Amino acid sequence: MAFPNISEWSLQHQALVRYFLVALLVAGILAYNQLGQMEDPEFTIKTMVVRVFWSGASAEEVEQQLTDKIEKKLEETPYLDFLRSYSKAGESTLFINLLDSTPAKAVPDVWYQVRKKVGDIKNTLPSGVTGPFFNDEFGDTFGSIFAFTTDGFNYAELKEYIDDIRQELLRIDDVSKVDIIGAQEEKIYVELSHSKLAALKIDPNLIISTLQAQNVVTPAGTINTESDAVHLRVSGVFDSVESIRSLGISANGHVFRLGDIATVYRGYLDPPTTKMRFEGKEAIGLAVSMRKGGDVILLGKALQETMTRVKQNLPIGIELHQVSNQPAVVEQSIFEFVKVLAEAVIIVLIVSFLSLGFRTGLVVALSIPLVLATVFLVMKFFGIDLQRISLGALIIALGLLVDDAMIAVEMMALKLEQGWGRVRAATFAYSSTAFPMLTGTLITAAAFLPVGMAKSAAGEYTFSMFQVVIIALLISWVVAVLFIPYLGYILLPEHKTPNHEEHHIDVYAKGFYVPFRKMVEFCVYYRKSIILLTFIIFATAIYGFRFVEQQFFPSSNRPELLIDLWLPQGSSYQATEKAVVAMETLLRNDPHIENFVSYVGSGSPRFYLAMDLQLENINFAQIVVMTKGGEGREIVLQKIRGLLDNNFPELRGRVTRLENGPPVGYPVQFRVLGKDLEKLRVIAQEVAELMRQNPYTRNVHLDWNEKAKTVKLDIDQDKARQLGISSETLSNTLNTFLTGLNITEYREKDKLIQIVGRAIPSERSLLGNLDELNIPLANGATVPLSQIARLVDGFEEGVIWRRDRLPVISVRADIVDGIQAPDVTNQLLPVLNAVKAKLPLGYEIQTGGAFESSAKSQKPIATVLPIMFITILTLLMLQLQSMQRAILVLLTAPLGIIGMTIFLLLLQRPFGFVAMLGAISLAGMIMRNSVILVDQIEQDRESGIPAFEAIVGSTVRRFRPIMLTAAAAILAMIPLSESVFWGPLAVTIMGGLLVATVFTLFFLPALYAAWFRVKRE
């Protein structure tokens, strides 16, 4: 079946081709300006958090009565990968993690199933349980965070302003949600002295009931007259703190004013659970999240305009600070990428002009903006934003998208040099190269299939790389057969003899082609030696690859640093805040620091997608340090490491750069699982000791180990019953005095403020005076706690982590700078085999960290490789129609490993997930050149040229287009090679393609001759 000659058609319809050319350029420019802009591509965080509270229960009770029951039910969750949970006193928190292969569209329905399943067993949970509470927005990113500090306003007054500002921000089109951070909950405290109440013989329960009765809202009735319905309102509801103080308490025949027997004041939750601090000052923050599909640059401009107006209207004493500015980061990132893209375009243009000459190079040069414009148009159609991955893919594609144009115009220029007319030369280029080019283009595209079809978090993160490269490759082929002939017809001159008769000039019989031909003849003649030498070099490269550093994703080059401060389990909020203040003091006035913001009792909101989010814990704090970038970031990093090592021995501190890719947390991790907690601790400590012996690990620790302090009240039950005191009554009394009891609510406008009763500070904070606490009796008398209970100091589990319903201790470590986490893990695995061999039944050690994440990401890639292989083989069969020739082409694909290994070792670059994608796509680039060369040999043999000459002659004739396309692809990678994220991929492609191209020109002819037993000539 004969296919129409598209190049011939384009020359017959030049006006239409001109229209399409201009229309695509204009549409592409418009599309580019409308493309969404982001820092990272969107990918679904497939984790949900469920929290349940049971006040008064120990960690063990929470684990057995809450966590285990909920986990057992959640094992039925579809797409479940693993369950992770922690139980601590009064709280159970569960993390439901779905398989990476879970379709993004299925995730909301899975979260609905989780809600339903937990709801089904709610009635089986103990009485007094609060919750469950679900968070399926765990992956929300708050790219813009603002802090408000004040001098002269209290928290409540500041929050009123912030509530109004939040409403303003929610009116911005691209804003999805605005969360308030660090606001302190207002309380009205009624603080009582148990000794004073005992002296006055006032039962604290009487005060509680009086407060509740006075403040309750109940209907007083309605009088219906002939004309009106009149509602009766009873006065007495609290309308100020003073009205609470003035409340009369009737006891023992006397009326006491509440303010005379208790301290009544308005304040904030004490102790706090979380706070935000900006550069040492307490603050309230606003965190802004962008709607899905929004443009972060436009959002940044809208936020800037709104915040400028807000700042102008703020009263003196309130200051506004921006602590996270993702729009600025994205704008700078895109500017740098566009700069790199421009540099790559210039390099490709220089290659074109130097190798092809001005006019021929100009044809190739004009194809670049046309292809890019069309790519932008298609990206807009499919909703692909400009972000880290898609911009990197554009640069990768740039070196490939000129290949077809170079091949087509080079063939056309060659025929013109031989005296052909422009129309005939253009149409011949199509008939001789179009379908081999299409096959080569599709093979290159097929090599990116593992990127597009990998069902993993990393695969979803890099999916736009597959989209953009495929789009660019297919468009480049269309441009090469439709627009390049027209541009060549317009720009390339004809070469005619004086009498205008066509003649054929053998351009391959002069210049460089002469020695090159001799080298190819040598390889074909000594084919066995060449094949053996190639195999030896290839085997050496395979062996040498073991010395290449392994990596998952590199650290980000953003200027922020994260400081994590973990105090021992059972530490108070005050101790955590004290450590934060000490660190802030040491950071202040550092010339390399722009600002810093502290989150006490919780981690920072997710201000970038790949963040390892930390939930609320009063013994935890996180400080985000905004450095001035570059070397300054590394100077601050080393300074903080020194501070943590020398100034904070009482806590576990860590400072890290931001991550790229799916969050991993600690780079080196081993999980120890088993039922008995004490055995688990022993095994985990043994693992930790072996990890500390590795010279490349630092900060080795167990994620939980410490026990929390407790005081057990051993009650004399007989005496307690005689006095009418039950364990429940005693617990409630102690809880009221020491922690506080929510008595009733104070209503103020739209606010509900809890009125909390508790003991005065001197009686509730001194552990040594606990036995003197007076316990009220039913007859109005009191009895000291020491008369009915014996206080015993002790310890209990502070927290219990579990994974898939088994207790688990994770042994974690950071690594020395310049060393890759998978390499360290590989060094530790043989050492840990001795520990694994003697583990009791029911205990195991699992590998986590970057090693596990990398393996999980590579597995889906490996699953798709057979599909890629079959697709490429099918394309080769369609083009070559010979299994033997198809196998020949396939055998050239691994040759890229040689150059890849050499360059990665020489330049000391790690081989990670992104570099692996480059290695897979490299195979397609190599086979693209191979299929064009093999097809040319077959064409020559079919035309009657002897096999030996066909091999040598085809290699000589294909030398220039193969080298030109390879040079364009290699040199276009140079600007990208300096990138922290893309550098290893660029080096992989550059080194692999350079060496493989040389082998294609020398090894492939020798292999072809040996395979088909071509006689030497």
Side-chain angles (χ1 to χ4, degrees), residues 352-656:
S352 302
F353 286 124
L354 290 179
S355 58
L356 298 173
F358 178 74
R359 290 200 175 197
T360 310
L362 184 60
V363 174
V364 175
L366 291 173
S367 72
I368 295 174
L370 180 58
V371 173
L372 288 176
T374 312
V375 169
F376 292 139
L377 183 62
V378 178
M379 285 175 65
K380 176 64 179 174
F381 179 79
F382 285 106
I384 304 170
D385 298 324
L386 291 176
Q387 26 79 1
R388 185 195 313 275
I389 303 298
S390 62
L391 284 166
L394 278 172
I395 298 170
I396 294 168
L398 182 64
L400 304 174
L401 60 83
V402 295
D403 287 5
D404 290 340
M406 279 185 167
I407 292 170
V409 76
E410 196 271 343
M411 178 60 74
M412 186 176 177
L414 176 65
K415 292 304 174 184
L416 288 172
E417 287 177 19
Q418 293 178 347
W420 290 29
R422 285 181 294 176
V423 173
R424 185 182 172 192
T427 55
F428 177 80
Y430 177 87
S431 60
S432 62
T433 63
F435 287 99
M437 280 195 314
L438 178 60
T439 303
T441 298
L442 293 175
I443 287 172
T444 307
F448 284 86
L449 279 175
V451 186
M453 298 179 69
K455 303 298 182 183
S456 67
E460 186 180 353
Y461 181 76
T462 56
F463 181 67
S464 56
M465 176 181 174
F466 166 75
Q467 291 176 301
V468 172
V469 171
I470 294 294
I471 290 167
L473 287 173
L474 295 177
I475 289 173
S476 70
W477 183 84
V478 174
V479 168
V481 299
L482 184 63
F483 293 103
I484 290 298
Y486 168 73
L487 293 172
Y489 177 83
I490 297 296
L491 296 172
L492 299 183
E494 291 184 347
H495 297 269
K496 291 288 186 180
T497 58
N499 60 3
H500 298 283
E501 292 180 0
E502 293 180 2
H503 66 290
H504 296 277
I505 304 170
D506 189 359
V507 296
Y508 302 111
K510 56 184 180 180
F512 171 79
Y513 292 111
V514 175
F516 176 69
R517 182 184 181 89
K518 290 180 179 179
M519 286 188 285
V520 175
E521 287 176 346
F522 176 85
C523 291
V524 175
Y525 193 81
Y526 296 101
R527 62 196 71 170
K528 291 182 180 179
S529 300
I530 295 297
I531 293 170
L532 179 61
L533 179 62
T534 303
F535 177 79
I536 292 171
I537 295 173
F538 178 75
T540 305
I542 293 291
Y543 176 78
F545 188 74
R546 64 189 296 184
F547 300 105
V548 176
E549 293 180 347
Q550 301 298 302
Q551 183 186 66
F552 182 38
F553 277 93
S555 297
S556 170
N557 58 358
R558 283 182 55 153
E560 295 98 334
L561 294 172
L562 295 180
I563 306 175
D564 291 351
L565 303 177
W566 283 99
L567 275 72
Q569 284 294 329
S571 298
S572 65
Y573 174 87
Q574 291 89 331
T576 306
E577 188 172 40
K578 182 180 178 182
V580 169
V581 171
M583 177 59 78
E584 289 174 340
T585 303
L586 296 170
L587 294 177
R588 195 173 291 120
N589 300 323
D590 189 301
H592 301 293
I593 295 177
E594 193 73 39
N595 61 61
F596 53 87
V597 58
S598 306
Y599 301 91
V600 189
S602 72
S604 164
R606 191 188 298 275
F607 62 87
Y608 79 109
L609 190 60
M611 186 172 179
D612 185 25
L613 198 64
Q614 301 291 333
L615 298 181
E616 291 182 10
N617 274 296
I618 61 170
N619 63 320
F620 172 74
Q622 190 169 65
I623 305 175
V624 181
V625 181
M626 175 65 75
T627 71
K628 295 182 178 178
E631 292 183 5
R633 184 187 72 169
E634 299 307 304
I635 293 172
V636 174
L637 177 73
Q638 297 304 325
K639 172 185 174 179
I640 295 172
R641 281 179 178 169
L643 292 175
L644 291 172
D645 292 340
N646 302 317
N647 295 52
F648 297 89
E650 75 283 3
L651 55 79
R652 186 176 78 241
R654 182 191 190 211
V655 57
T656 58

Side-chain angles (χ1 to χ4, degrees), residues 960-991:
R960 188 161 77 156
I962 287 175
M963 288 304 297
L964 286 179
T965 55
I970 292 166
L971 296 175
M973 292 290 126
I974 291 176
L976 202 60
S977 63
E978 296 301 316
S979 165
V980 173
F981 187 84
W982 291 105
L985 177 142
V987 170
T988 297
I989 292 177
M990 289 168 67

Side-chain angles (χ1 to χ4, degrees), residues 83-102:
L83 293 168
R84 198 164 60 97
S85 67
Y86 65 80
S87 306
K88 61 182 184 180
E91 178 188 340
S92 171
T93 301
L94 301 96
F95 301 84
I96 299 94
N97 298 275
L98 303 184
L99 292 165
D100 283 350
S101 57
T102 307

